């Protein structure tokens, strides 16, 4: 009966010893690092092993640099092959932006799982630390029992009595020791399982981070190419942007800014004119579809070559994706934190998150504006405007037509919107507002049905 318990406790003691050994090893490593940090005599020579290790590190760095250069050259060749094909470029932009947002979500989920696993590991460690005395006591009791040999039964009657008493004592003690040993071994087994899960999650997280860096590099190159093509079509682009910033300083509210842009700025005025024409054409098309009982759906956005909204903005209810991955912290009509009511929604995001357009539309303003930080305004046609604020960098220009899901901006590391800065200064927040004929409206009905508090993109 003792053998299974001894085996069980042996496993437990080995696992426990490994835990305690880690702490000792950490202390030894810290001491070694401290000794290494101390000034070494100038006469000390570098060991051959150290030289070999440095050569290997240098070779690995060279290989990594070469791989990065080859990837960059391949990406450049791919983008060059796109040429002036706007449809293919749009497809690449939207697909890559979608990949980035998908990996952003996976990283968020992995970090949440790791946080939970680390918490459980800490609890297991704390439990085992509190039971060290119990572990020592059980191991010592079994060791003593193992060393005490039972007396021979056929020597003297007193020996038989002593043997019987020993058997009775073991019969009472062994079940308790078994229970305690099994509990300890169970906790150690759970800790080992947790460690394996944590290692697996960390490997997956590292892989996802490598992937998102690659996708972000590709996306940045595609955005640069899109803007290069846009700049070649708009020769006076820089002058227009400078004039837009000047005009923005002459108005005090958003409605005034929209009106000023679409009235005084050439590219914004053209965008507004195109939006109005597109709305009329879309109305006629939708009237024909209504006669045929055809309702617009997600398939309407598949055409990447379109140069006007796929459907009327009013008909896009339940179809639009949220523009960034994050958590909704303020909803339309709620408190804005300054004694007023929220005219849009606020989404708390991760630093550096990719921002995409929630709808088709023309850019009528892109730049800083008062307390909104970097502000992007889209004319979606039919009297609708979409305002997006709080980004660190905008990558589109005034007058440009953008498609649903197209990358247009990047979040910074802190909040840029003044009304949110006071309560959420530690993380970036994106503000989104819909307007109809100048009046803020609830954007809730427009978001896709699968978009919840946790933005999936």
């Amino acid at each position: 009966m003792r053998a299974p318990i001894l085996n069980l406790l042996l496993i437990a003691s080995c696992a426990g010893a490994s835990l305690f050994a880690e702490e000792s090893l950490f202390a030894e490593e810290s001491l070694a690092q401290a000794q290494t940090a101390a000034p070494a005599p100038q006469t000390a020579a570098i060991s051959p092993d150290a030289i070999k290790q440095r050569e290997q590190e240098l070779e690995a760095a060279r290989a990594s640099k070469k791989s990065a250069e080859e990837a960059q050259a391949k990406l450049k060749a791919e983008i060059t092959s796109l040429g002036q094909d706007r449809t293919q470029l749009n497809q690449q932009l939207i697909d890559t932006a979608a990949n980035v947002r998908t990996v952003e979500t996976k990283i968020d989920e992995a970090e949440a799982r790791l946080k939970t696993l680390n918490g459980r590991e800490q609890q297991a460690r704390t439990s085992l630390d509190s039971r060290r005395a119990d572990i020592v006591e059980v191991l010592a009791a079994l060791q003593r029992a193992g060393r005490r040999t039972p007396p021979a039964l056929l020597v003297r009657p007193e020996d038989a009595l002593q043997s019987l008493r020993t058997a009775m004592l073991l019969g009472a003690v062994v079940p308790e020791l078994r229970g305690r040993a099994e509990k300890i071994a169970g906790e150690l087994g759970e800790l080992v399982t947790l460690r394996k899960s944590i290692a697996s999650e960390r490997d997956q997280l590292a892989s996802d981070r490598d992937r998102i860096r690659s996708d972000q590099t590709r996306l940045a190159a595609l955005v640069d190419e899109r803007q290069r093509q846009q700049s070649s079509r708009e020769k006076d682009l820089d002058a227009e942007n400078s004039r837009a910033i000047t005009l923005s300083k002459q108005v005090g509210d958003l409605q005034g800014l929209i009106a000023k842009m679409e009235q005084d700025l050439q590219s914004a005025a053209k965008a507004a004119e195109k939006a109005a024409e597109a709305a009329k054409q879309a109305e006629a098309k939708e009237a024909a579809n209504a006669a045929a009982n055809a309702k617009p759906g997600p398939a309407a956005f598949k055409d990447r070559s379109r140069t006007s909204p796929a459907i009327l903005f009013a008909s896009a209810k339940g179809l639009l994706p949220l523009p960034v991955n994050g958590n909704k912290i303020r909803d339309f009509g709620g408190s804005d934190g300054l004694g007023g009511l929220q005219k849009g929604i606020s989404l708390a995001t991760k630093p550096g998150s990719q921002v995409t357009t929630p709808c088709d539309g023309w850019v009528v303003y892109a730049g800083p504006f008062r307390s909104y930080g970097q502000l992007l305004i889209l004319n979606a046609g039919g009297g609708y405007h979409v305002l997006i604020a709080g980004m660190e960098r905008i990558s589109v220009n005034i007058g440009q037509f953008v498609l649903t899901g197209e990358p247009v901006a990047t979040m910074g590391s802190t909040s840029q919107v003044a009304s949110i800065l006071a309560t959420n200064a530690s993380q970036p927040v994106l503000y989104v507002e819909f307007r109809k004929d100048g009046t803020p409206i609830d954007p809730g009905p427009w978001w896709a049905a699968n978009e919840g508090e946790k933005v999936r993109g």
Side-chain angles (χ1 to χ4, degrees):
M1 183 181 294
R2 291 183 204 156
I5 302 176
L6 286 171
N7 290 338
L8 187 63
L9 264 295
L10 182 60
I11 295 172
S13 62
C14 290
S18 68
L19 293 176
F20 305 146
E22 285 185 4
E23 298 175 359
S24 301
L25 180 60
F26 177 76
E28 291 174 4
E29 290 177 349
S30 300
L31 179 60
Q33 290 175 359
Q35 292 173 346
T36 304
Q42 294 183 357
T43 56
I46 300 176
S47 68
D49 289 341
I51 294 175
K52 185 177 180 180
Q53 182 180 356
R54 291 181 183 178
E55 288 177 348
Q56 291 174 345
E57 291 173 353
L58 182 60
E59 187 63 29
R62 287 172 178 167
S64 177
K65 181 181 178 182
K66 183 179 179 181
S67 177
E69 289 174 348
E70 290 175 351
Q72 193 72 20
K74 182 179 178 181
L75 177 59
K76 186 176 180 179
E78 288 179 9
I79 293 176
T80 301
S81 68
L82 295 176
Q84 297 296 316
D85 191 334
R86 174 66 172 163
T87 302
Q88 287 191 39
L89 183 59
N90 285 345
Q91 186 70 54
Q92 292 281 339
L93 275 165
I94 293 172
D95 289 348
T96 306
N99 288 339
V100 168
R101 291 188 58 178
T102 298
V103 178
E104 284 177 350
T105 300
K106 290 180 65 178
I107 289 175
D108 288 346
E109 292 172 347
E111 288 176 344
R113 287 194 300 269
L114 267 177
K115 185 177 180 180
T116 301
L117 289 172
N118 286 330
R120 288 175 57 192
E121 181 190 23
Q122 185 58 43
Q123 290 175 355
R125 280 180 171 273
T126 301
S127 176
L128 285 168
D129 286 343
S130 67
R131 298 169 62 83
R132 285 192 184 192
D134 195 24
I135 295 172
V136 171
E137 182 182 348
V138 172
L139 288 173
L142 288 175
Q143 188 177 30
R144 287 195 298 271
R147 288 178 179 176
R148 186 178 302 163
T149 57
L153 293 177
L154 300 178
V155 179
R156 294 179 300 170
E158 301 89 61
D159 293 339
L161 180 59
Q162 180 64 30
S163 178
L164 181 59
R165 288 174 177 171
T166 301
M168 291 172 65
L169 180 62
L170 287 175
V173 173
V174 167
E176 181 186 354
L177 291 178
R178 177 185 291 275
R180 293 163 69 183
E182 288 178 347
K183 185 173 183 180
I184 293 168
E187 290 182 5
L188 287 167
E190 182 185 3
L191 184 56
V192 171
T193 302
L194 282 171
R195 283 180 167 179
K196 289 180 180 179
S197 298
I198 289 172
S200 176
E201 287 288 352
R202 283 177 176 164
D203 290 344
Q204 184 60 48
L205 187 58
S207 174
D208 286 340
R209 283 176 173 159
D210 288 341
R211 178 183 167 190
I212 200 171
R213 279 193 289 269
S214 175
D215 284 344
Q216 285 172 337
T217 299
R218 179 180 182 81
L219 187 60
L222 289 167
V223 168
D224 288 343
E225 175 63 16
R226 178 191 65 188
Q227 297 314 110
R228 186 192 67 77
Q229 293 183 12
Q230 179 73 13
S231 298
S232 66
R233 289 190 290 266
E234 300 286 345
K235 296 181 180 179
D236 299 326
L237 200 57
D238 290 339
E240 282 276 83
N241 288 336
S242 298
R243 179 164 160 72
I245 301 300
T246 301
L247 289 173
S248 71
K249 296 177 181 178
Q250 299 173 6
V251 293
D253 57 23
L254 288 171
Q255 185 54 31
L257 176 64
I258 295 172
K260 193 75 172 174
M261 293 299 104
E262 295 184 344
Q263 178 181 348
D264 293 0
L265 199 65
Q266 183 179 0
S267 55
K270 287 181 179 179
E273 184 179 346
K274 289 179 180 178
E277 292 175 359
K280 292 179 181 179
Q281 294 174 3
E283 284 177 358
K285 183 178 179 180
E286 288 194 9
N289 289 338
N293 294 321
K295 295 182 179 180
F301 299 95
K302 295 297 184 182
D303 179 14
R304 308 302 192 196
S305 64
R306 64 185 184 275
T307 56
S308 62
I311 59 176
L312 282 174
F313 189 83
S315 301
K317 291 182 178 180
L319 299 177
L320 303 185
L322 282 159
V324 74
N325 290 334
N327 296 310
K328 189 185 296 183
I329 58 173
R330 290 182 185 172
D331 211 342
F332 178 82
S335 172
D336 65 0
L338 297 175
L341 297 179
Q342 185 93 343
K343 297 179 181 179
I345 65 171
S346 297
L347 302 166
T349 77
K350 286 291 187 70
S353 292
Q354 183 65 52
V355 180
T356 56
T357 47
C359 64
D360 295 352
W362 285 267
V363 179
V364 294
Y365 184 76
F369 182 69
R370 300 191 178 276
S371 63
Y372 287 87
Q374 291 292 324
L375 173 67
L376 179 67
I377 302 177
L378 304 178
N379 188 326
Y384 289 93
H385 288 86
V386 174
L387 292 73
I388 308 174
M391 303 81 70
E392 183 176 75
R393 186 174 66 87
I394 295 176
S395 57
V396 290
N397 298 317
I398 297 172
Q400 190 170 342
F401 178 73
V402 290
L403 306 179
T404 302
E406 192 169 342
V408 291
T410 306
M411 300 301 293
S413 57
T414 58
S415 178
Q416 306 289 321
V417 182
S419 63
I420 298 169
L421 191 60
T423 54
N424 292 85
S426 61
Q427 70 179 127
V429 175
L430 187 75
Y431 176 74
V432 185
E433 182 178 311
F434 287 3
R435 291 191 169 216
K436 168 62 173 167
D437 297 329
T439 302
I441 59 174
D442 182 6
W446 272 266
W447 303 128
N450 62 344
E451 297 281 359
E453 293 302 308
K454 179 65 176 179
V455 181
R456 295 291 176 182

